[in-house]
Amino acid sequence: MSTISQALAPLIRVEGAELHYRVGGALSALRGHAPVVKAVDGISFQIRRGESVGLLGESGCGKTSMGRLLLKLEEATGGSIVFDDEALSSLKGTALKSYRKRAQLIFQNPFDAVNPRFTIRRTLSEPLENAGVPASEREGRIISALELVRLPDPRPYLDRYPHQLSGGQLQRVVMARALILEPDFVVADEPVSMLDVSVRAGVLNVFRDVRDRLGLTAIYISHDLALVRYVCERTIVMYLGRIMEDGPTEDIVHEPLHPYTRALVAAVPVPHPDQSHAPLPIGKGAPDPRNPPSGCVFRDRCPRAFDRCARKVPRLRAVGTRKVACHLFDEDN
Ligand code: SF4
């Protein structure tokens, strides 16, 4: 493939990905009626090189499960995920080790993401050691990674322990660890949700800056549309393991099409006392994932539901700049 067509080709292709698992214990399994939870249910999308995509939705919508499938931390139970022309399901041994270097995770809670008994130097040395980087090069790589995430004058931090750093400083260390092996792709799972509001903007700015400077392909997982808007050019909205809407973030924010996306947009607080922005009435929380509604999984909360919604699963179809899974956009509607 030529360099130009390689640059244009998607880095990641997801086709009908599924992550289904049985719950209910051994007895239910023996009786053959253990319920199945469809954490990810037949999802398809592609991500271009250098693109930043937000996976957005309430807790339990499957966004973290999708992130884990992309990193091969979970094995898909159906469909396929292809990274740079290689199916993740086929990666083993050396190929899997190489993928682990190219695809990294930035964790939600920095205090859970590091060993409290390791100094910052040891925390950042470990991935270099595992990747076979000579000991003589490690200190320089660690300093460069900490400078990249804008931890000013990093040397004094190297012999400190995680509890001696603030949440914002430690999240930068976690970012540095994810970036130290120069990956092509990162998944950031709610990376600022555990941080104090006053330091979130600083960490998000570092994330955006590093992503742009390194040309990283990034997935940003969040329940917060305002944060996704700040860091992602494109947004995929998920609900109960399926995609509801996929398109340019600004189009989604200014003119949401799917009734669920409309509710999420309406729920974003507007920082002005004269503007009222009441959430759309979408009723109770998401239904029990062991027993989702027939047809459209959003229908028992949807203010626009009609008879077809209970009978037929809406297909994700192109609508202008976007893709939407809703019968309101069926051609014969
Ligand atoms: Fe609402 Fe029906 Fe569209 Fe689902 S398919 S979002 S229930 S209108």
Side-chain angles (χ1 to χ4, degrees), residues 308-330:
R308 189 184 304 168
C309 306
R311 285 188 274 110
K312 201 172 165 196
V313 177
R315 199 166 57 80
L316 194 65
R317 61 168 65 243
V319 181
T321 58
R322 271 164 279 174
K323 290 182 178 166
V324 183
C326 173
H327 290 310
L328 293 172
F329 298 91
D330 286 354

Side-chain angles (χ1 to χ4, degrees), residues 244 258-260 296-300 302-306 308-309 312 314 325-328:
M244 301 288 112
H258 194 284
Y260 179 55
C296 174
V297 286
F298 183 58
R299 75 177 164 82
D300 66 347
C302 180
R304 308 278 309 270
F306 57 110
R308 189 184 304 168
C309 306
K312 201 172 165 196
C326 173
H327 290 310
L328 293 172

